[in-house]
Amino acid sequence: MEFLGTTQTASYYGSKKSGLFPEPVPTSTTQDSYQSYYLPGYRYLNSWRPSLFYRVSAVPTHSNEPGNMRICAPLRPPTVLPSVRSALYARYCPRDWHQANMVQFRGSESCRHWAGRLNADSLRLIQDKDQLTQQTQDNTGKSLGQRLSDIDFWRSELTYELEHLLTETQALETAKRRLECATDEAQRPLKVALECLYNREKRMGIDLVHDDVEKNLIKEVDLFKSCQERMRKLAERIDQQLGINRDAQHALERDLSDKNSAHFIDEKCYNLRNTSDSISFYHGVEKIDGTVSVPETWAKFSDDNIRYSQNARANSIRLRDETENTLENVSEEMWKQFTETNLAFTNRISETADTKNKLQTHLAKTLQEIFQTENTIMLLERAIIAKECPLKVAQTRLEGRTRRPNVELCRDIPQFKLVNEAFTIDDTLQTLKLRLREAQDTLQLLVLNKARLEHDLSVKANSLFIDKKCMDMRKTFPSTPRLTGYT
C-alpha cells in the first residue's frame, strides 16, 4: 500500500509484474490506422527514451562475486521515502536533455524553413493570381466590347430590314385595296348578267331555248364570278401575306427591342470598373446558368428573322406583280365577253326556239321518277321494319346465353353463329337505312327539278320583251380604270 502524495512511477516503467525491462506496449488498430499530424522536421515526442533508465535497469540484481560490495537498486523506489525519490532516481540524463534540445532546435529550424517557403510561394501565388485576375478581367472587357459591336451590327441589319418591310407592307395593302375595289366594280355587271338570265327564264313556249345569248350570259356570269373569285382569293393570299409580314415585323421589332435591351445591359456591364459604386456580391450567381442560346444560335436567330423578312418581302413583291397582271387580264376578259354577249343578244332577238314539248316530256319523266322513288322509299322502310324482329331474336339469344354458369359459358359454334347473325342483320339495317337516305335525297332533287320545269313553262310568253329589256339594261359597263381598281 502506498502513502498518499507519493510520486507515481513513470509510464514507461511498466507494471509491478515486470522484470528488468518493461514489456512492449501493445499497439491497437486505432493507433495503427490514425497518426497525428506534425509539421515537417518535427519528430514524435516518444521517438527517444532516456538512456539513464536502461543504464539503471542494466545493473544486475545479484552478484556471486565475493569482492563485489555494490548494492543493486531495487526495481522501484520505496514508497516510505518520497522525499529522496527524485534525488535517487532521476528520469533523464544530460545526454537526453541535450538530445531533446537538439530535436527542438531542428524542429524550429524546419518550421521556420517551411514558413519561409510558404511565404515566398504565397507572394508568388498572389502575384500570379493578380495577373490572372487582371488578364481575365481585360479579356472579359474585350469580349464585352466585341459583343457590343456584334449587337450594333445586327441592330443595323434589323433596322434596315424593318424599314424595307414596312414599305413593302404598305404597298401590299394598297394592292389589296385595289383588288377589293375591282371586285366591287365587277359586282354591278354581274348583277346585270344575272338579271338578264333571270328575266330570260320568264320566256314562255318555244322561245325558251338554250341559245347563244344564254350561253354567253352564262359564260359572262361564270367569267365575272371567276374573276371575282380570283381577285378574292388573291386578296385572301395578300391578307395572309400581310399577316406573315406582320409576324416578320413583330419578330424584327421584338428582336430589335431585345438587342437594344441587351446593348444597354452589356454597355453598362462594359463600363463597370473595380471602383464602380454599383458592384456588389451575388453569391452563387456563377453557378446559375440561365442562358438559352450560344453565339451560333444567337446569330442564327437574328439571321433567320432577317431571312424570314426577306422571304416575306419577296413573296409580297410577287403578289403585287401578280395583282397587276390579274387586274389587267380580268379587265380585258370582261370587256371581251361583254361585247360578245351584246352581239349575241342583237342576233337572237328575232329568233325563238320551241322547247315546250321537251320541257313537258322532261316534266312527265320527272313526275314518273318521283312516283317510283316514293315507292322505293316505302319498300325500303318496310324492309327496315322487317329486319328488326330477327335482330331482336339474335340479341335476346345472346343475352340469354350470357347467364350460363361457370364453364358452361363457352364460346361454342352457336355463340359464333349468333354473333355473326347479329352483326349481319345490323349491317343489313345500316345498308338499308343508308339507301333510304339516298332515296330521300334523290326525291328532294327530283321535286326541285319538277318545280324548276314548271316555272320555265309558265314564263315563256314574255321572251321577246325580256330580251329587249335586257339590252336596255346592258347599255352601260364599268370603265377600264374602274375595273383595275383605281377608282
Side-chain angles (χ1 to χ4, degrees):
M1 180 176 180
E2 298 178 352
F3 293 104
L4 296 175
T6 58
T7 306
Q8 301 295 327
T9 58
S11 59
Y12 54 79
Y13 185 77
S15 61
K16 295 180 180 180
K17 297 180 181 181
S18 60
L20 294 177
F21 295 98
E23 296 180 359
V25 180
T27 58
S28 61
T29 307
T30 304
Q31 293 175 349
D32 295 337
S33 61
Y34 176 79
Q35 292 182 356
S36 301
Y37 173 76
Y38 294 92
L39 290 174
Y42 280 93
R43 300 178 62 185
Y44 295 99
L45 296 177
N46 57 355
S47 62
W48 57 272
R49 291 184 179 180
S51 59
L52 180 61
F53 169 77
Y54 293 100
R55 289 196 298 271
V56 173
S57 327
V59 177
T61 56
H62 295 59
S63 177
N64 295 329
E65 298 177 2
N68 191 0
M69 300 304 291
R70 294 179 61 186
I71 299 174
C72 297
L75 294 178
R76 60 179 296 177
T79 58
V80 296
L81 299 174
S83 60
V84 297
R85 183 175 184 271
S86 300
L88 296 178
Y89 301 98
R91 290 186 178 86
Y92 307 103
C93 65
R95 179 185 175 185
D96 296 333
W97 182 79
H98 288 291
Q99 186 177 359
N101 291 333
M102 294 303 295
V103 170
Q104 187 70 21
F105 296 157
R106 286 194 297 269
S108 177
E109 291 176 358
S110 177
C111 182
R112 286 185 287 105
H113 177 70
W114 176 260
R117 290 180 58 186
L118 180 62
N119 293 333
D121 292 341
S122 298
L123 292 177
R124 285 194 299 270
L125 179 63
I126 290 172
Q127 293 176 358
D128 293 342
K129 293 305 177 181
D130 288 343
Q131 293 178 0
L132 178 62
T133 302
Q134 185 63 35
Q135 183 179 2
T136 305
Q137 193 176 42
D138 294 340
N139 293 334
T140 304
K142 292 179 181 178
S143 299
L144 285 174
Q146 182 63 35
R147 182 67 173 180
L148 290 174
S149 300
D150 295 341
I151 293 176
D152 288 334
F153 169 76
W154 285 112
R155 281 201 308 175
S156 62
E157 293 293 325
L158 291 171
T159 304
Y160 177 82
E161 182 61 29
L162 182 60
E163 292 176 355
H164 284 72
L165 181 62
L166 291 175
T167 303
E168 182 60 33
T169 302
Q170 293 177 357
L172 193 61
E173 289 177 351
T174 303
K176 180 185 175 183
R177 287 193 295 268
R178 287 183 58 193
L179 283 174
E180 292 174 351
C181 293
T183 303
D184 295 337
E185 286 296 328
Q187 187 65 27
R188 192 175 66 84
L190 175 61
K191 289 181 179 180
V192 172
L194 290 174
E195 188 66 24
C196 292
L197 285 174
Y198 295 150
N199 290 332
R200 285 178 61 81
E201 292 295 328
K202 298 178 182 179
R203 292 176 298 169
M204 299 180 64
I206 60 174
D207 295 332
L208 187 59
V209 294
H210 188 64
D211 51 5
D212 293 336
V213 176
E214 190 171 356
K215 290 179 181 179
N216 282 280
L217 283 174
I218 294 174
K219 185 177 180 181
E220 183 177 344
V221 170
D222 292 339
L223 177 63
F224 287 164
K225 288 184 177 180
S226 176
C227 292
Q228 282 185 332
E229 187 65 21
R230 286 163 58 188
M231 291 186 291
R232 190 177 295 113
K233 287 183 177 180
L234 187 57
E236 291 177 356
R237 290 172 56 191
I238 291 177
D239 192 41
Q240 293 177 357
Q241 186 60 43
L242 287 174
I244 295 174
N245 290 358
R246 284 189 292 269
D247 292 339
Q249 177 185 350
H250 176 68
L252 291 176
E253 290 176 348
R254 182 179 57 185
D255 195 3
L256 186 59
S257 176
D258 293 342
K259 291 289 186 298
N260 291 330
S261 300
H263 188 275
F264 175 77
I265 294 172
D266 285 346
E267 186 177 10
K268 181 179 179 182
C269 295
Y270 178 76
N271 294 326
L272 286 177
R273 297 296 182 267
N274 294 333
T275 58
S276 299
D277 297 333
S278 58
I279 61 175
S280 179
F281 285 108
Y282 297 93
H283 297 288
V285 70
E286 66 277 1
K287 299 179 182 179
I288 302 174
D289 189 6
T291 58
V292 296
S293 64
V294 295
E296 291 77 11
T297 57
W298 175 80
K300 186 177 182 298
F301 179 77
S302 298
D303 185 66
D304 291 342
N305 289 334
I306 294 175
R307 289 182 182 275
Y308 183 71
S309 176
Q310 290 175 350
N311 292 333
R313 287 197 297 113
N315 293 334
S316 299
I317 294 174
R318 286 195 293 268
L319 281 176
R320 287 196 295 111
D321 295 339
E322 185 178 353
T323 300
E324 292 291 339
N325 296 331
T326 300
L327 290 174
E328 294 177 0
N329 295 333
V330 163
S331 175
E332 183 178 356
E333 291 174 1
M334 286 192 293
W335 266 108
K336 182 179 179 181
Q337 184 60 38
F338 178 76
T339 304
E340 292 179 357
T341 304
N342 289 340
L343 181 61
F345 258 112
T346 303
N347 295 330
R348 188 58 183 170
I349 286 177
S350 61
E351 297 179 358
T352 59
D354 186 7
T355 59
K356 184 177 180 181
N357 294 331
K358 293 181 180 180
L359 291 173
Q360 289 179 348
T361 303
H362 284 290
L363 180 59
K365 291 181 180 180
T366 302
L367 293 174
Q368 182 65 28
E369 193 65 31
I370 290 174
F371 176 73
Q372 292 179 359
T373 304
E374 290 176 348
N375 290 335
T376 303
I377 291 174
M378 181 180 63
L379 293 175
L380 288 172
E381 290 176 349
R382 290 179 181 178
I384 291 172
I385 295 174
K387 297 298 182 297
E388 292 179 354
C389 291
L391 181 61
K392 291 179 180 179
V393 171
Q395 292 180 352
T396 304
R397 288 174 176 175
L398 285 173
E399 192 276 336
R401 286 175 63 84
T402 57
R403 293 193 293 271
R404 290 176 293 170
N406 299 329
V407 75
E408 295 301 328
L409 193 62
C410 178
R411 189 180 294 175
D412 50 6
I413 295 178
Q415 183 75 12
F416 283 108
K417 295 292 185 182
L418 287 173
V419 172
N420 189 19
E421 180 183 358
F423 277 111
T424 302
I425 296 175
D426 184 70
D427 184 65
T428 302
L429 283 173
Q430 296 300 326
T431 303
L432 292 175
K433 289 179 181 179
L434 179 61
R435 185 55 56 86
L436 177 61
R437 287 194 295 269
E438 292 176 356
Q440 291 174 350
D441 295 339
T442 303
L443 179 61
Q444 293 296 326
L445 293 176
L446 290 173
V447 171
L448 181 62
N449 191 20
K450 169 180 166 294
R452 200 174 289 166
L453 291 174
E454 290 176 350
H455 177 72
D456 291 340
L457 287 173
S458 64
V459 295
K460 291 185 180 291
N462 299 322
S463 58
L464 292 176
F465 174 76
I466 292 171
D467 288 341
K468 292 180 181 179
K469 183 178 179 181
C470 291
M471 285 299 296
D472 294 336
M473 294 170 56
R474 296 175 60 84
K475 288 182 179 180
T476 58
F477 194 76
S479 60
T480 301
R482 288 182 175 273
L483 290 177
T484 53
Y486 283 107
T487 56

